[in-house]
Amino acid sequence: MAVLRNTSPGQLGKYVVPTIEIINSGSVSTASKIYILKKSKFNEDAIKKFAELGVKGSSFQKEALDIPLETTDSKVKIITIGSLNKPNVKYNLGDMAEGVVGAAITARFIYKNRNINAQLVYGVLRALAKSGTTNYPGKKGKQVERTFKSANQNPKIMDDVRCFISLAEVNMMALLARNNETMLKEYVDSAVKYANSNNVKKWAKLVYENNRYDKIEVLSDGLGGQKTTKVDVSVKITNDKGELLPVDILVSLKAGDVKQFGQVSGAEFEKQEELWEQLFGYKSNIRSLKDKYDKMMFIDKKPDEAVFLVYSNVTKLLVRDLRNKPDEVLQTLSKAINYFATLNEENVTLVQVGGGKTKVYKFDDIYTAISGRQYTADIKTGASGLPTITIRSGRDPLIQFRVKQEFKSDGSPYIRNYIEKQSLLGDLLAETL
């Protein structure tokens, strides 16, 4: 069985809650033995430290996994959390973070004329828990909602703030469980920073001072529109006619140290055409590779060689075009980044939360942000033989396109083409709150 030490960089967060539950049970298993843990302040402090560091992303992953635990074993008195077997993941912290951000924005509209803090967010979550969950119509999952009263500058007027959250049942139960508040702290702290940011503050100030009754809806509908929108949390406010209309608080959420913001999946050559046409308009350039690709993929059963065939040809095209017509390439790439990140919806902001940090990515003028630099492209393969293309300016990577290979139950190949932001794109598009 795999141990936590072998967790891929940036992926530890999803194991934090179930690992802590196992540690709290007092009995833990490693690859070689089951240990009974001491009931000690040493282990209590270890749990708190792991809860803090485990969700902070890849930079803190090694430190989190090196945290020691005291056992009752006379020969092996100390083991590390990294030596524990990976638990079954029951919760998805990324999905739970959507509910946390929804609760934080709700708190900001309840307390319109001041910045909020973590305790006010926990207060919203506790109130939602008291309201009780119901089944989500037409899908497996749960929903919860509650309407809060909110004071205005005019003391005679009280607004209504409705908070609605939908999640898979296991995520909803974990989100609303009060004993999980410590585990959520890093996401709550990040969500507070976003809720206190200028765009949310602007709308909170407006409805506080406009001297009329408003209804504000904060929607974190994790079960709805999953294939048609990138928006995870949105806000609607009534206008002067009492009509409930969307405002420009549209959050596409990324939890933790996640680089991916788009993918095109499938082993068929048409998926390669779709990917590279969307990114660079290269469909016609790679069309001649189809027969060779299909033979490698489906007859020779060499999917790594098939995708490398396409990726290596695309790399050559990129090197040429970034040298000869860089503006055209960057304009096409800018439109593609916007599409994959927002599905071309206006006013969508990508918000990255976790580790107590908050980054806000805006996609309204990508070309201006990334232009004015010299770029080139290179390709490399990992131990699996699968390729990664990186576009970089000097030594600074802008964006990469990576392949993951899987197999269906019938043994046929399945290819995932990931589009991942790199450090330079983050520096050019993101604001740290």
Side-chain angles (χ1 to χ4, degrees):
M1 187 173 182
V3 297
L4 285 169
R5 177 77 61 198
N6 297 331
T7 303
S8 299
Q11 298 301 307
L12 181 61
K14 65 184 177 183
Y15 296 111
V16 168
V17 173
T19 296
I20 289 175
E21 284 189 347
I22 291 171
I23 294 172
N24 281 329
S25 76
S27 175
V28 299
S29 61
T30 67
S32 59
K33 189 174 180 178
I34 295 176
Y35 292 94
I36 304 301
L37 298 177
K38 286 186 177 181
K39 293 182 178 179
S40 63
K41 186 176 185 305
F42 183 92
N43 284 345
E44 289 177 3
D45 291 342
I47 291 171
K48 291 177 182 178
K49 189 174 181 181
F50 182 64
E52 175 186 352
L53 297 179
V55 296
K56 280 192 171 183
S58 56
S59 299
F60 294 86
Q61 187 160 313
K62 184 179 184 303
E63 185 179 351
L65 293 172
D66 285 341
I67 293 172
L69 297 168
E70 288 183 325
T71 79
T72 60
D73 193 290
S74 59
K75 295 181 179 179
V76 183
K77 296 182 179 181
I78 295 289
I79 59 175
T80 65
I81 290 179
S83 70
L84 304 184
N85 289 330
K86 285 184 180 180
N88 293 323
V89 178
K90 295 181 289 184
Y91 321 130
N92 184 314
L93 280 169
D95 289 348
M96 291 164 62
E98 295 177 14
V100 170
V101 171
I105 295 173
T106 298
R108 192 65 181 79
F109 279 101
I110 296 172
Y111 305 97
K112 303 187 189 86
N113 64 327
R114 63 185 174 100
N115 285 344
I116 62 162
N117 56 35
Q119 287 307 311
L120 295 178
V121 179
Y122 290 132
V124 171
L125 290 172
R126 292 169 190 169
L128 287 167
K130 289 180 181 178
S131 295
T133 62
T134 57
N135 292 328
Y136 190 90
K139 289 186 179 180
K140 289 184 179 180
K142 293 291 184 179
Q143 63 185 31
V144 65
E145 65 175 283
R146 187 179 181 112
T147 298
F148 301 83
K149 291 294 181 181
S150 173
N152 277 347
Q153 191 174 50
N154 183 339
K156 296 180 180 179
I157 300 173
M158 295 290 285
D159 289 340
D160 287 316
V161 183
R162 174 179 176 252
C163 179
F164 174 91
I165 298 172
S166 73
L167 290 170
E169 182 173 4
V170 66
N171 296 328
M172 181 69 82
M173 297 303 103
L175 173 70
L176 300 181
R178 190 161 180 171
N179 60 356
N180 282 340
E181 287 182 358
T182 301
M183 268 62 89
L184 292 174
K185 184 177 184 303
E186 300 298 332
Y187 293 110
V188 171
D189 289 345
S190 296
V192 164
K193 291 177 182 177
Y194 176 71
N196 288 331
S197 67
N198 288 335
N199 195 44
V200 183
K201 186 184 298 185
K202 169 190 72 178
W203 286 102
K205 183 175 186 293
L206 176 67
V207 293
Y208 180 70
E209 297 177 351
N210 65 2
N211 200 35
R212 72 170 190 231
Y213 166 80
D214 286 294
K215 183 173 184 179
I216 300 111
E217 287 194 348
V218 181
L219 307 172
S220 178
D221 191 5
L223 298 177
Q226 292 174 325
K227 294 183 179 179
T228 59
T229 182
K230 289 281 189 171
V231 175
D232 298 306
V233 186
S234 62
V235 175
K236 294 181 179 181
I237 300 175
T238 48
N239 63 9
D240 56 0
K241 298 178 181 177
E243 300 168 326
L244 198 60
L245 299 175
V247 300
D248 64 350
I249 301 174
L250 300 167
V251 177
S252 174
L253 194 70
K254 294 293 182 184
D257 191 19
V258 178
K259 295 181 174 64
Q260 179 193 333
F261 62 87
Q263 70 169 288
V264 174
S265 299
E268 300 82 6
F269 187 76
E270 288 72 20
K271 294 299 182 180
Q272 292 295 320
E273 290 182 313
E274 177 186 338
L275 172 68
W276 301 114
E277 178 67 18
Q278 185 74 55
L279 286 166
F280 303 110
Y282 283 167
K283 180 177 180 179
S284 61
N285 300 80
I286 65 171
R287 186 173 294 151
S288 62
L289 303 175
K290 183 181 187 310
D291 291 345
K292 194 171 182 180
Y293 174 94
D294 287 344
K295 181 177 183 295
M296 289 176 171
M297 180 68 70
F298 301 111
I299 297 175
D300 300 337
K301 306 295 185 183
K302 295 179 178 178
D304 54 338
E305 293 184 16
V307 291
F308 184 80
L309 172 71
V310 177
Y311 272 60
S312 60
N313 274 269
V314 167
T315 304
K316 293 175 184 176
L317 293 168
L318 279 173
V319 170
R320 180 197 70 188
D321 292 344
L322 284 168
R323 181 177 62 245
N324 297 334
K325 47 180 181 180
D327 287 345
E328 182 178 325
V329 175
L330 295 179
Q331 285 174 355
T332 306
L333 176 61
S334 297
K335 292 176 183 177
I337 291 172
N338 185 60
Y339 170 76
F340 283 113
T342 72
L343 293 181
N344 291 333
E345 292 181 80
E346 292 185 1
N347 300 316
V348 174
T349 299
L350 190 153
V351 179
Q352 185 172 326
V353 298
K357 298 177 182 178
T358 310
K359 285 188 175 182
V360 177
Y361 293 80
K362 295 183 178 179
F363 302 97
D364 49 355
D365 196 0
I366 301 169
Y367 173 73
T368 299
I370 69 174
S371 61
R373 293 170 174 265
Q374 288 186 328
Y375 293 94
T376 190
D378 56 61
I379 185 170
K380 65 178 182 179
T381 56
S384 64
L386 297 170
T388 297
I389 297 174
T390 304
I391 295 178
R392 63 181 80 245
S393 176
R395 294 185 177 181
D396 300 324
L398 179 77
I399 191 169
Q400 76 175 22
F401 314 104
R402 180 173 62 87
V403 177
K404 182 180 180 182
Q405 175 186 312
E406 299 172 357
F407 290 95
K408 298 180 182 179
S409 57
D410 62 2
S412 60
Y414 192 76
I415 300 297
R416 296 186 185 274
N417 302 278
Y418 292 131
I419 300 144
E420 298 176 328
K421 60 181 172 64
Q422 297 296 286
S423 57
L424 180 57
L425 188 62
D427 292 342
L428 297 175
L429 296 184
E431 173 192 3
T432 300
L433 300 180

